[in-house]
Coordinates of all heavy atoms in Angstrom, one line a residue:
G1 N -4.7 9.3 -26.9 CA -4.9 9.7 -25.6 C -5.2 8.5 -24.6 O -5.2 8.7 -23.4
F2 N -5.4 7.3 -25.2 CA -5.7 6.2 -24.4 C -4.5 5.2 -24.3 O -4.7 4.0 -24.0 CB -6.9 5.4 -25.0 CG -8.2 6.2 -24.7 CD1 -8.8 6.9 -25.8 CD2 -8.8 6.2 -23.5 CE1 -9.9 7.6 -25.6 CE2 -10.0 7.0 -23.3 CZ -10.6 7.6 -24.3
W3 N -3.3 5.6 -24.6 CA -2.2 4.8 -24.6 C -1.9 4.1 -23.3 O -1.6 2.9 -23.2 CB -0.9 5.5 -25.1 CG 0.3 4.6 -25.2 CD1 1.3 4.5 -24.3 CD2 0.5 3.6 -26.2 NE1 2.2 3.5 -24.7 CE2 1.7 3.0 -25.9 CE3 -0.2 3.3 -27.3 CZ2 2.3 2.0 -26.7 CZ3 0.4 2.3 -28.2 CH2 1.6 1.7 -27.8
H4 N -2.2 4.8 -22.2 CA -1.9 4.3 -20.9 C -3.2 3.7 -20.2 O -3.2 3.4 -19.0 CB -1.3 5.3 -20.0 CG 0.0 5.7 -20.5 ND1 1.2 5.0 -20.5 CD2 0.4 6.9 -21.1 CE1 2.2 5.6 -21.0 NE2 1.7 6.8 -21.4
S5 N -4.3 3.5 -21.0 CA -5.5 3.0 -20.4 C -5.4 1.4 -20.3 O -4.6 0.8 -21.0 CB -6.7 3.3 -21.4 OG -6.6 2.6 -22.6
P6 N -6.3 0.9 -19.4 CA -6.3 -0.6 -19.2 C -6.7 -1.3 -20.6 O -6.1 -2.4 -20.9 CB -7.4 -0.8 -18.2 CG -7.5 0.5 -17.5 CD -7.2 1.5 -18.5
E7 N -7.5 -0.7 -21.3 CA -7.9 -1.3 -22.6 C -6.8 -1.4 -23.6 O -6.6 -2.4 -24.3 CB -9.1 -0.5 -23.3 CG -10.3 -0.4 -22.5 CD -10.4 0.7 -21.5 OE1 -9.3 1.4 -21.3 OE2 -11.4 1.0 -20.9
C8 N -6.0 -0.3 -23.6 CA -4.8 -0.4 -24.6 C -3.8 -1.4 -24.1 O -3.2 -2.1 -24.9 CB -4.3 1.0 -24.7 SG -3.1 1.2 -26.1
E9 N -3.6 -1.4 -22.8 CA -2.7 -2.4 -22.2 C -3.1 -3.8 -22.5 O -2.3 -4.7 -22.9 CB -2.6 -2.2 -20.7 CG -1.6 -3.1 -20.0 CD -1.6 -2.9 -18.5 OE1 -1.6 -1.8 -18.1 OE2 -1.5 -3.9 -17.8
F10 N -4.4 -4.1 -22.5 CA -4.9 -5.4 -22.8 C -4.7 -5.7 -24.3 O -4.3 -6.8 -24.6 CB -6.5 -5.4 -22.5 CG -7.2 -6.6 -23.0 CD1 -7.0 -7.9 -22.3 CD2 -8.0 -6.6 -24.1 CE1 -7.7 -9.0 -22.8 CE2 -8.6 -7.7 -24.6 CZ -8.4 -8.9 -24.0
L11 N -5.0 -4.7 -25.2 CA -4.7 -4.9 -26.6 C -3.3 -5.2 -26.9 O -3.0 -6.1 -27.7 CB -5.2 -3.7 -27.4 CG -6.7 -3.6 -27.5 CD1 -7.1 -2.2 -28.2 CD2 -7.3 -4.7 -28.3
R12 N -2.4 -4.4 -26.3 CA -0.9 -4.7 -26.5 C -0.6 -6.1 -26.0 O 0.2 -6.8 -26.7 CB -0.1 -3.7 -25.8 CG -0.1 -2.2 -26.5 CD 0.9 -1.3 -26.0 NE 0.8 -1.1 -24.5 CZ 0.1 -0.2 -23.9 NH1 -0.6 0.7 -24.6 NH2 0.2 -0.1 -22.6
H13 N -1.1 -6.5 -24.9 CA -0.8 -7.9 -24.4 C -1.3 -8.9 -25.4 O -0.6 -9.9 -25.7 CB -1.5 -8.1 -23.1 CG -1.3 -9.5 -22.5 ND1 -0.1 -10.0 -22.0 CD2 -2.2 -10.5 -22.5 CE1 -0.3 -11.2 -21.7 NE2 -1.6 -11.6 -22.0
C14 N -2.5 -8.7 -25.9 CA -3.1 -9.7 -26.9 C -2.3 -9.8 -28.2 O -2.1 -10.9 -28.7 CB -4.6 -9.3 -27.2 SG -5.7 -9.6 -25.8
I15 N -1.9 -8.6 -28.7 CA -1.1 -8.6 -29.9 C 0.2 -9.3 -29.7 O 0.7 -10.1 -30.5 CB -1.0 -7.2 -30.4 CG1 -2.3 -6.6 -30.9 CG2 0.1 -7.1 -31.5 CD1 -2.3 -5.2 -31.2
G16 N 0.9 -9.0 -28.6 CA 2.1 -9.6 -28.2 C 2.0 -11.1 -28.1 O 2.8 -11.8 -28.6
R17 N 1.0 -11.5 -27.4 CA 0.8 -13.0 -27.2 C 0.5 -13.7 -28.6 O 1.0 -14.8 -28.8 CB -0.4 -13.2 -26.3 CG -0.7 -14.6 -26.0 CD 0.2 -15.2 -24.9 NE -0.4 -16.4 -24.4 CZ 0.0 -17.7 -24.9 NH1 0.9 -17.7 -25.8 NH2 -0.5 -18.7 -24.4
S18 N -0.2 -13.0 -29.4 CA -0.6 -13.6 -30.7 C 0.6 -13.7 -31.6 O 0.6 -14.6 -32.5 CB -1.7 -12.8 -31.5 OG -1.1 -11.6 -32.0
Q19 N 1.7 -13.0 -31.4 CA 2.9 -13.0 -32.2 C 4.0 -13.9 -31.7 O 5.0 -14.0 -32.3 CB 3.4 -11.6 -32.4 CG 2.4 -10.6 -33.0 CD 1.9 -11.2 -34.4 OE1 2.7 -11.3 -35.3 NE2 0.6 -11.5 -34.5
E20 N 3.8 -14.6 -30.5 CA 4.9 -15.3 -29.9 C 5.4 -16.5 -30.9 O 6.6 -16.8 -30.9 CB 4.5 -15.9 -28.6 CG 4.4 -14.9 -27.5 CD 3.9 -15.4 -26.2 OE1 3.6 -16.6 -26.1 OE2 3.8 -14.6 -25.2
A21 N 4.5 -17.1 -31.6 CA 4.9 -18.2 -32.5 C 5.2 -17.8 -33.9 O 5.6 -18.6 -34.7 CB 3.8 -19.2 -32.5
V22 N 5.2 -16.5 -34.2 CA 5.5 -16.0 -35.5 C 7.0 -16.0 -35.8 O 7.7 -15.5 -35.0 CB 4.9 -14.6 -35.7 CG1 5.3 -14.0 -37.1 CG2 3.4 -14.6 -35.6
A23 N 7.4 -16.6 -36.9 CA 8.7 -16.7 -37.3 C 8.8 -16.8 -38.8 O 7.9 -17.4 -39.4 CB 9.5 -17.9 -36.7
G24 N 9.8 -16.3 -39.4 CA 9.9 -16.4 -40.8 C 10.4 -15.1 -41.5 O 10.9 -14.2 -40.8
T25 N 10.4 -15.1 -42.8 CA 10.9 -13.9 -43.5 C 9.8 -13.5 -44.5 O 9.0 -14.3 -45.0 CB 12.2 -14.3 -44.3 OG1 11.9 -15.4 -45.1 CG2 13.3 -14.6 -43.3
M26 N 9.8 -12.2 -44.8 CA 9.0 -11.6 -45.9 C 9.8 -10.8 -46.8 O 10.8 -10.2 -46.3 CB 7.9 -10.7 -45.2 CG 6.8 -11.4 -44.5 SD 5.5 -10.3 -44.1 CE 4.9 -9.8 -45.7
R27 N 9.5 -10.9 -48.1 CA 10.2 -10.0 -49.0 C 9.1 -9.0 -49.5 O 8.0 -9.3 -49.9 CB 10.6 -10.8 -50.2 CG 11.8 -11.7 -49.9 CD 12.4 -12.4 -51.1 NE 11.5 -12.7 -52.3 CZ 10.7 -13.8 -52.4 NH1 10.7 -14.7 -51.4 NH2 9.9 -13.9 -53.4
V28 N 9.5 -7.7 -49.4 CA 8.5 -6.7 -49.8 C 9.3 -5.7 -50.7 O 10.5 -5.6 -50.7 CB 8.0 -5.9 -48.5 CG1 7.2 -6.8 -47.6 CG2 9.1 -5.2 -47.7
S29 N 8.4 -5.0 -51.4 CA 8.9 -3.9 -52.3 C 8.2 -2.6 -51.8 O 7.0 -2.6 -51.6 CB 8.5 -4.2 -53.7 OG 8.8 -3.0 -54.6
V30 N 9.0 -1.6 -51.6 CA 8.4 -0.3 -51.1 C 8.7 0.7 -52.2 O 9.8 0.9 -52.7 CB 9.1 0.2 -49.8 CG1 8.5 1.5 -49.3 CG2 8.9 -0.9 -48.7
F31 N 7.6 1.3 -52.7 CA 7.7 2.3 -53.8 C 6.6 3.4 -53.7 O 5.4 3.1 -53.7 CB 7.5 1.5 -55.1 CG 7.7 2.4 -56.4 CD1 9.0 2.9 -56.7 CD2 6.6 2.8 -57.1 CE1 9.1 3.7 -57.8 CE2 6.7 3.6 -58.3 CZ 8.0 4.1 -58.6
K32 N 7.0 4.6 -53.6 CA 6.1 5.8 -53.5 C 5.0 5.6 -52.5 O 3.8 5.7 -52.8 CB 5.5 6.0 -54.9 CG 6.6 6.6 -55.9 CD 5.9 7.0 -57.2 CE 7.0 7.6 -58.1 NZ 6.4 8.1 -59.3
G33 N 5.3 5.2 -51.3 CA 4.3 5.1 -50.2 C 3.5 3.8 -50.3 O 2.6 3.6 -49.4
Q34 N 3.8 2.9 -51.2 CA 3.1 1.6 -51.3 C 4.0 0.5 -50.9 O 5.2 0.5 -51.1 CB 2.6 1.4 -52.7 CG 1.7 2.4 -53.2 CD 0.3 2.4 -52.5 OE1 -0.2 1.3 -52.3 NE2 -0.2 3.5 -52.1
V35 N 3.5 -0.5 -50.2 CA 4.2 -1.7 -49.8 C 3.6 -2.9 -50.5 O 2.4 -3.1 -50.4 CB 4.2 -1.9 -48.3 CG1 5.0 -3.2 -47.9 CG2 4.8 -0.7 -47.6
Y36 N 4.4 -3.7 -51.2 CA 3.9 -4.8 -52.0 C 4.6 -6.1 -51.4 O 5.8 -6.1 -51.3 CB 4.3 -4.7 -53.5 CG 3.7 -3.5 -54.1 CD1 4.4 -2.3 -54.2 CD2 2.3 -3.5 -54.5 CE1 3.9 -1.2 -54.8 CE2 1.8 -2.4 -55.1 CZ 2.6 -1.2 -55.2 OH 2.0 -0.1 -55.8
V37 N 3.8 -7.1 -51.1 CA 4.4 -8.3 -50.5 C 4.8 -9.2 -51.8 O 4.0 -9.5 -52.6 CB 3.4 -9.1 -49.7 CG1 3.9 -10.5 -49.3 CG2 2.9 -8.3 -48.5
L38 N 6.1 -9.5 -51.8 CA 6.7 -10.3 -52.9 C 6.8 -11.8 -52.6 O 6.8 -12.6 -53.5 CB 8.1 -9.7 -53.3 CG 8.1 -8.3 -53.7 CD1 9.6 -7.9 -53.9 CD2 7.3 -8.0 -54.9
G39 N 6.9 -12.1 -51.3 CA 6.9 -13.5 -50.9 C 7.1 -13.6 -49.4 O 7.4 -12.6 -48.7
R40 N 6.7 -14.7 -48.9 CA 6.9 -15.0 -47.5 C 7.1 -16.5 -47.2 O 6.6 -17.3 -48.0 CB 5.7 -14.5 -46.7 CG 4.4 -15.1 -47.3 CD 3.2 -14.4 -46.6 NE 1.9 -14.7 -47.4 CZ 1.5 -13.9 -48.3 NH1 2.1 -12.8 -48.7 NH2 0.3 -14.2 -48.9
E41 N 7.8 -16.8 -46.2 CA 8.0 -18.2 -45.8 C 8.2 -18.3 -44.3 O 8.7 -17.3 -43.7 CB 9.2 -18.8 -46.6 CG 10.5 -18.2 -46.3 CD 11.6 -18.9 -47.2 OE1 11.7 -18.5 -48.4 OE2 12.3 -19.7 -46.6
S42 N 7.8 -19.4 -43.8 CA 8.0 -19.6 -42.4 C 8.1 -21.1 -42.1 O 7.4 -21.9 -42.6 CB 6.7 -19.1 -41.6 OG 6.8 -19.4 -40.3
P43 N 9.0 -21.5 -41.1 CA 9.1 -22.9 -40.8 C 7.9 -23.3 -40.0 O 7.7 -24.5 -39.8 CB 10.4 -22.9 -39.9 CG 10.6 -21.5 -39.4 CD 10.0 -20.6 -40.5
R44 N 7.1 -22.4 -39.5 CA 5.9 -22.7 -38.7 C 4.6 -22.4 -39.4 O 3.5 -22.4 -38.8 CB 5.9 -21.9 -37.4 CG 7.1 -22.1 -36.5 CD 7.0 -21.3 -35.3 NE 8.1 -21.6 -34.4 CZ 8.3 -20.9 -33.3 NH1 7.6 -19.8 -33.0 NH2 9.3 -21.2 -32.5
S45 N 4.7 -22.3 -40.7 CA 3.5 -22.0 -41.5 C 2.4 -23.1 -41.4 O 2.7 -24.3 -41.3 CB 3.9 -21.9 -43.0 OG 2.7 -21.7 -43.8
L46 N 1.2 -22.7 -41.2 CA 0.1 -23.7 -41.1 C -0.5 -24.0 -42.5 O -1.3 -24.9 -42.6 CB -1.0 -23.1 -40.2 CG -0.6 -22.8 -38.8 CD1 -1.8 -22.1 -38.1 CD2 -0.2 -24.0 -38.1
Y47 N 0.0 -23.3 -43.5 CA -0.6 -23.6 -44.8 C 0.0 -24.9 -45.4 O 1.2 -25.2 -45.4 CB -0.2 -22.4 -45.8 CG -0.7 -22.7 -47.2 CD1 -2.0 -22.4 -47.5 CD2 0.1 -23.1 -48.2 CE1 -2.5 -22.6 -48.7 CE2 -0.3 -23.3 -49.5 CZ -1.7 -23.0 -49.7 OH -2.2 -23.2 -51.0
N48 N -0.9 -25.8 -45.8 CA -0.6 -27.0 -46.4 C -1.4 -27.2 -47.7 O -2.6 -27.4 -47.6 CB -0.9 -28.2 -45.4 CG -0.5 -29.5 -45.9 OD1 -0.4 -29.8 -47.2 ND2 -0.2 -30.5 -45.0
E49 N -0.7 -27.1 -48.8 CA -1.4 -27.1 -50.1 C -2.3 -28.4 -50.3 O -3.3 -28.4 -50.9 CB -0.4 -27.0 -51.3 CG -1.1 -26.8 -52.6 CD -0.1 -26.5 -53.7 OE1 1.0 -26.2 -53.4 OE2 -0.6 -26.5 -54.9
E50 N -1.8 -29.5 -49.7 CA -2.5 -30.8 -49.9 C -3.8 -30.8 -49.1 O -4.8 -31.4 -49.5 CB -1.6 -32.0 -49.4 CG -0.5 -32.2 -50.4 CD 0.4 -33.4 -50.0 OE1 -0.1 -34.2 -49.0 OE2 1.5 -33.6 -50.4
L51 N -3.9 -30.0 -48.0 CA -5.1 -29.9 -47.3 C -6.1 -29.0 -47.8 O -7.3 -29.1 -47.7 CB -4.8 -29.5 -45.8 CG -4.0 -30.5 -45.0 CD1 -3.7 -29.9 -43.6 CD2 -4.8 -31.8 -44.8
V52 N -5.6 -27.9 -48.5 CA -6.5 -26.8 -48.9 C -7.0 -26.9 -50.4 O -7.9 -26.3 -50.8 CB -6.0 -25.4 -48.7 CG1 -5.8 -25.2 -47.2 CG2 -4.7 -25.2 -49.4
S53 N -6.2 -27.8 -51.1 CA -6.5 -27.9 -52.6 C -7.7 -28.7 -52.8 O -8.0 -29.8 -52.2 CB -5.3 -28.5 -53.2 OG -5.6 -28.8 -54.6
M54 N -8.6 -28.3 -53.7 CA -9.7 -29.1 -54.2 C -9.3 -30.1 -55.2 O -10.1 -31.0 -55.6 CB -10.8 -28.2 -54.8 CG -11.4 -27.2 -53.9 SD -12.5 -28.1 -52.7 CE -13.2 -26.7 -51.9
D55 N -8.1 -30.0 -55.7 CA -7.6 -30.9 -56.7 C -7.0 -32.2 -56.1 O -6.9 -33.2 -56.7 CB -6.5 -30.2 -57.6 CG -7.0 -29.1 -58.3 OD1 -8.2 -29.1 -58.7 OD2 -6.3 -28.1 -58.5
V56 N -6.5 -32.1 -54.8 CA -5.9 -33.2 -54.2 C -7.0 -33.9 -53.4 O -7.7 -33.3 -52.6 CB -4.8 -32.8 -53.2 CG1 -4.2 -33.9 -52.5 CG2 -3.7 -32.0 -54.0
Q57 N -7.1 -35.2 -53.6 CA -8.1 -36.0 -52.9 C -7.8 -36.0 -51.4 O -6.7 -36.3 -51.0 CB -8.2 -37.4 -53.4 CG -9.3 -38.3 -52.8 CD -10.7 -37.7 -53.0 OE1 -11.0 -37.1 -54.0 NE2 -11.6 -37.9 -52.0
G58 N -8.8 -35.7 -50.5 CA -8.5 -35.7 -49.1 C -9.8 -35.7 -48.4 O -10.8 -36.2 -48.9
D59 N -9.8 -35.3 -47.1 CA -11.0 -35.4 -46.3 C -12.0 -34.3 -46.5 O -13.1 -34.2 -45.9 CB -10.6 -35.5 -44.8 CG -9.9 -36.7 -44.5 OD1 -10.1 -37.8 -45.2 OD2 -9.1 -36.7 -43.5
Y60 N -11.6 -33.3 -47.3 CA -12.4 -32.1 -47.5 C -13.3 -32.2 -48.8 O -12.7 -32.5 -49.8 CB -11.5 -30.8 -47.5 CG -12.3 -29.5 -47.7 CD1 -13.0 -29.0 -46.6 CD2 -12.4 -28.9 -48.9 CE1 -13.7 -27.8 -46.8 CE2 -13.1 -27.8 -49.1 CZ -13.7 -27.2 -48.0 OH -14.4 -26.0 -48.2
E61 N -14.5 -31.9 -48.6 CA -15.4 -31.9 -49.8 C -16.0 -30.5 -49.9 O -16.2 -29.8 -48.9 CB -16.6 -32.9 -49.6 CG -16.2 -34.3 -49.5 CD -15.6 -34.9 -50.8 OE1 -16.0 -34.4 -51.8 OE2 -14.7 -35.7 -50.7
P62 N -16.3 -30.0 -51.1 CA -16.8 -28.6 -51.3 C -18.1 -28.4 -50.4 O -18.3 -27.4 -50.0 CB -17.1 -28.5 -52.8 CG -16.1 -29.5 -53.4 CD -16.0 -30.6 -52.4
A63 N -18.9 -29.5 -50.2 CA -20.1 -29.3 -49.5 C -19.8 -29.0 -48.0 O -20.7 -28.4 -47.3 CB -20.9 -30.6 -49.5
D64 N -18.6 -29.3 -47.5 CA -18.2 -29.0 -46.2 C -18.3 -27.5 -45.9 O -18.6 -27.1 -44.8 CB -16.8 -29.6 -45.8 CG -16.8 -31.1 -45.8 OD1 -17.8 -31.7 -45.7 OD2 -15.6 -31.6 -46.0
A65 N -17.9 -26.7 -47.0 CA -18.0 -25.3 -46.8 C -19.4 -24.8 -46.5 O -19.5 -23.9 -45.7 CB -17.4 -24.6 -48.1
T66 N -20.4 -25.4 -47.1 CA -21.8 -25.0 -46.8 C -22.1 -25.2 -45.3 O -22.7 -24.3 -44.7 CB -22.7 -25.8 -47.6 OG1 -22.4 -25.6 -49.0 CG2 -24.2 -25.4 -47.5
G67 N -21.7 -26.3 -44.8 CA -22.0 -26.5 -43.3 C -21.2 -25.5 -42.5 O -21.8 -25.0 -41.5
F68 N -20.0 -25.3 -42.8 CA -19.2 -24.3 -42.0 C -19.8 -22.9 -42.1 O -20.0 -22.2 -41.1 CB -17.8 -24.3 -42.6 CG -16.9 -23.2 -42.0 CD1 -16.4 -23.4 -40.7 CD2 -16.7 -22.0 -42.7 CE1 -15.6 -22.4 -40.2 CE2 -16.0 -21.0 -42.1 CZ -15.4 -21.1 -40.9
I69 N -20.2 -22.5 -43.3 CA -20.9 -21.2 -43.5 C -22.2 -21.1 -42.7 O -22.5 -20.1 -42.0 CB -21.1 -20.9 -45.0 CG1 -19.7 -20.7 -45.6 CG2 -22.0 -19.7 -45.2 CD1 -19.8 -20.7 -47.2
N70 N -23.0 -22.2 -42.8 CA -24.2 -22.2 -42.0 C -24.1 -22.1 -40.5 O -24.7 -21.3 -39.8 CB -25.1 -23.4 -42.4 CG -25.6 -23.4 -43.8 OD1 -25.8 -22.3 -44.4 ND2 -25.9 -24.6 -44.3
I71 N -23.1 -22.8 -40.0 CA -22.8 -22.8 -38.5 C -22.3 -21.5 -38.1 O -22.8 -20.9 -37.1 CB -21.9 -24.0 -38.2 CG1 -22.7 -25.3 -38.2 CG2 -21.4 -23.7 -36.7 CD1 -21.8 -26.5 -38.0
N72 N -21.4 -21.0 -38.9 CA -20.8 -19.6 -38.6 C -21.8 -18.5 -38.7 O -21.8 -17.6 -37.9 CB -19.6 -19.3 -39.5 CG -18.4 -18.9 -38.7 OD1 -18.5 -18.6 -37.6 ND2 -17.3 -19.0 -39.4
S73 N -22.7 -18.6 -39.6 CA -23.7 -17.6 -39.8 C -24.7 -17.5 -38.6 O -25.3 -16.5 -38.4 CB -24.5 -17.8 -41.1 OG -25.4 -18.9 -41.0
L74 N -24.9 -18.7 -37.9 CA -25.8 -18.7 -36.8 C -25.4 -17.6 -35.7 O -26.2 -16.8 -35.2 CB -25.9 -20.0 -36.1 CG -26.6 -21.1 -36.9 CD1 -26.5 -22.5 -36.2 CD2 -28.0 -20.8 -37.2
R75 N -24.1 -17.6 -35.4 CA -23.6 -16.7 -34.3 C -23.7 -15.3 -34.8 O -24.0 -14.4 -34.1 CB -22.3 -17.1 -33.8 CG -21.2 -16.9 -34.8 CD -19.8 -17.2 -34.2 NE -18.8 -17.0 -35.2 CZ -18.2 -15.8 -35.3 NH1 -18.5 -14.8 -34.5 NH2 -17.2 -15.6 -36.3
L76 N -23.4 -15.1 -36.1 CA -23.4 -13.7 -36.7 C -24.8 -13.2 -36.8 O -25.1 -12.0 -36.5 CB -22.8 -13.7 -38.1 CG -21.3 -14.1 -38.1 CD1 -20.8 -14.2 -39.5 CD2 -20.5 -13.2 -37.3
K77 N -25.8 -14.0 -37.2 CA -27.2 -13.6 -37.2 C -27.7 -13.2 -35.8 O -28.4 -12.2 -35.6 CB -28.1 -14.7 -37.8 CG -27.9 -14.9 -39.3 CD -28.7 -16.1 -39.7 CE -28.4 -16.4 -41.2 NZ -29.1 -17.6 -41.7
E78 N -27.3 -14.1 -34.8 CA -27.8 -13.8 -33.4 C -27.1 -12.5 -32.9 O -27.7 -11.7 -32.3 CB -27.4 -15.0 -32.5 CG -27.9 -14.8 -31.1 CD -29.4 -14.7 -30.9 OE1 -30.1 -14.9 -31.9 OE2 -29.8 -14.4 -29.8
Y79 N -25.8 -12.3 -33.3 CA -25.1 -11.1 -32.8 C -25.8 -9.9 -33.4 O -26.1 -8.9 -32.7 CB -23.7 -11.1 -33.3 CG -22.9 -9.8 -33.1 CD1 -22.5 -9.4 -31.8 CD2 -22.7 -9.0 -34.2 CE1 -21.8 -8.3 -31.7 CE2 -22.1 -7.8 -34.0 CZ -21.6 -7.4 -32.8 OH -21.0 -6.2 -32.6
H80 N -26.2 -9.9 -34.7 CA -26.8 -8.7 -35.3 C -28.2 -8.6 -34.8 O -28.7 -7.4 -34.6 CB -26.8 -8.9 -36.8 CG -25.4 -8.6 -37.4 ND1 -24.9 -7.3 -37.5 CD2 -24.4 -9.4 -37.8 CE1 -23.6 -7.4 -37.9 NE2 -23.3 -8.7 -38.2
R81 N -28.9 -9.7 -34.5 CA -30.2 -9.6 -33.9 C -30.2 -8.8 -32.5 O -30.9 -7.9 -32.3 CB -30.9 -10.9 -33.7 CG -32.3 -10.9 -33.3 CD -32.9 -12.3 -33.0 NE -32.3 -13.0 -31.8 CZ -32.6 -12.7 -30.6 NH1 -33.6 -11.8 -30.3 NH2 -32.1 -13.3 -29.6
L82 N -29.2 -9.2 -31.7 CA -29.1 -8.6 -30.4 C -28.6 -7.1 -30.5 O -29.0 -6.3 -29.8 CB -28.1 -9.4 -29.5 CG -28.5 -10.8 -29.1 CD1 -27.4 -11.5 -28.4 CD2 -29.8 -10.7 -28.3
Q83 N -27.7 -6.9 -31.5 CA -27.3 -5.5 -31.7 C -28.4 -4.6 -32.1 O -28.5 -3.4 -31.7 CB -26.2 -5.4 -32.8 CG -24.9 -6.0 -32.3 CD -24.3 -5.2 -31.2 OE1 -24.3 -5.6 -30.1 NE2 -23.8 -4.0 -31.4
S84 N -29.4 -5.1 -33.0 CA -30.5 -4.3 -33.4 C -31.4 -4.0 -32.2 O -32.0 -2.9 -32.1 CB -31.2 -4.9 -34.5 OG -31.8 -6.1 -34.1
K85 N -31.6 -4.9 -31.3 CA -32.4 -4.7 -30.1 C -31.7 -3.6 -29.2 O -32.4 -2.7 -28.7 CB -32.5 -6.0 -29.2 CG -33.5 -7.0 -29.7 CD -33.6 -8.1 -28.7 CE -34.7 -9.0 -29.0 NZ -34.9 -10.1 -28.0
V86 N -30.4 -3.7 -29.1 CA -29.7 -2.7 -28.3 C -29.9 -1.3 -28.9 O -30.1 -0.3 -28.3 CB -28.2 -3.0 -28.1 CG1 -27.4 -1.9 -27.5 CG2 -28.1 -4.3 -27.2
T87 N -29.7 -1.2 -30.2 CA -29.9 0.0 -30.9 C -31.3 0.6 -30.8 O -31.4 1.8 -30.6 CB -29.5 -0.1 -32.4 OG1 -28.2 -0.7 -32.5 CG2 -29.6 1.1 -33.2
V88 N -32.3 -0.2 -30.9 CA -33.7 0.2 -30.8 C -33.9 0.8 -29.4 O -34.5 1.9 -29.2 CB -34.7 -0.9 -31.1 CG1 -36.1 -0.5 -30.7 CG2 -34.6 -1.3 -32.5
K89 N -33.4 0.1 -28.3 CA -33.6 0.6 -26.9 C -32.9 1.9 -26.7 O -33.3 2.8 -26.0 CB -33.1 -0.5 -25.9 CG -34.0 -1.6 -25.8 CD -33.6 -2.6 -24.7 CE -34.5 -3.8 -24.6 NZ -34.2 -4.7 -23.6
Q90 N -31.7 2.1 -27.3 CA -30.9 3.3 -27.1 C -31.7 4.5 -27.8 O -31.6 5.6 -27.4 CB -29.5 3.2 -27.7 CG -28.6 2.3 -26.8 CD -27.2 2.1 -27.4 OE1 -27.0 2.5 -28.5 NE2 -26.4 1.5 -26.6
D91 N -32.3 4.2 -28.9 CA -33.0 5.3 -29.7 C -34.3 5.7 -29.0 O -34.8 6.8 -29.2 CB -33.4 4.8 -31.1 CG -32.1 4.6 -32.0 OD1 -31.1 5.2 -31.6 OD2 -32.2 3.9 -33.0
E92 N -34.8 4.8 -28.1 CA -36.1 5.2 -27.4 C -36.0 6.2 -26.4 O -35.1 6.6 -25.9 CB -36.7 3.9 -26.8 CG -37.2 2.9 -27.8 CD -37.7 1.6 -27.2 OE1 -37.6 1.4 -26.0 OE2 -38.2 0.8 -28.0

């Protein structure tokens, strides 16, 4: 019922914009209502095995993940703290 709402128009625009740089091919298998991804490739892929591998010497150390998790968790903890305040006020 909200297809013509401003919110839905905004979402369609965001999804369309996010897909502008998407290019490539996917191989899938469809069987009895299930879809299985068999492979994918893209000339614009951001995946680089040398950057993400722990086996290849590079600028990334496993301890870096801890810092990333800690920093990311700050915003999530604050978000949930604020959400709980809003919930308490709505319940009153």
Side-chain angles (χ1 to χ4, degrees):
F2 289 103
W3 183 256
H4 298 288
S5 70
E7 298 87 351
C8 192
E9 184 179 319
F10 173 76
L11 287 174
R12 286 193 304 271
H13 174 77
C14 290
I15 291 168
R17 179 82 167 95
S18 74
Q19 299 304 298
E20 287 177 0
V22 174
T25 57
M26 286 189 68
R27 291 187 331 274
V28 297
S29 171
V30 180
F31 183 71
K32 291 188 178 183
Q34 301 291 316
V35 178
Y36 302 95
V37 176
L38 303 176
R40 56 191 163 265
E41 62 181 80
S42 172
R44 297 180 178 172
S45 175
L46 298 177
Y47 181 77
N48 181 334
E49 188 173 350
E50 291 181 15
L51 291 177
V52 299
S53 174
M54 295 288 187
D55 298 328
V56 178
Q57 184 61 34
D59 293 335
Y60 179 79
E61 298 293 329
D64 295 339
T66 303
F68 173 79
I69 292 167
N70 288 337
I71 288 172
N72 231 341
S73 72
L74 290 175
R75 71 178 183 88
L76 297 174
K77 288 175 185 174
E78 184 63 8
Y79 171 77
H80 286 285
R81 185 184 70 80
L82 293 173
Q83 287 299 104
S84 65
K85 280 185 173 182
V86 170
T87 304
V88 169
K89 285 184 180 181
Q90 287 177 352
D91 290 343
E92 291 177 352

